[in-house]
Amino acid sequence: MSDEAVPLTDATLFEVFTVVSLFLVALFGTVIAYQAYRGYRRNDAGSMLYLAIGLLLLTLCPFLVNIVINTATDMARIVTVFAENLSRLLGLVAIMYSLYGQH
């Protein structure tokens, strides 16, 4: 995919599938994170809160970062990739803490 916006009518099938799959990852990750958050509220289990935060950082945030940086700014692609990977890393750290941390 190029860095320039492509009208939907000009997008290749691969580009459409890529965007749809990224959206679905963000959607499913958010739904699962919401369920983890509900578990935290219901059982007052701190590990579920960190799991919910980790899932959002792993799935929803990279999607939003990509959209915001690519649509609202003229920043280089490397900034987008760095921000997405940083979000994923922090998400994995939060999930690891939910599993192994002292709560």
Side-chain angles (χ1 to χ4, degrees), residues 35-54:
Q35 291 302 320
Y37 177 74
R38 286 183 61 210
Y40 159 71
R41 294 287 305 240
R42 183 173 41 249
N43 301 316
D44 198 30
S47 62
M48 294 301 280
L49 178 61
Y50 287 103
L51 177 63
I53 292 169

Side-chain angles (χ1 to χ4, degrees), residues 21-38 48 51-64:
S21 69
L22 290 172
F23 174 77
L24 289 174
V25 166
L27 178 67
F28 289 143
T30 302
V31 169
I32 295 167
Y34 175 71
Q35 291 302 320
Y37 177 74
R38 286 183 61 210
M48 294 301 280
L51 177 63
I53 292 169
L55 285 168
L56 288 176
L57 287 169
L58 195 59
T59 59
L60 179 64
C61 289
F63 178 74
L64 295 177

Side-chain angles (χ1 to χ4, degrees), residues 29 31 65 80-81 88 91 102:
V31 169
V65 162
T80 305
V81 171
R88 289 184 185 109
Q102 301 295 323

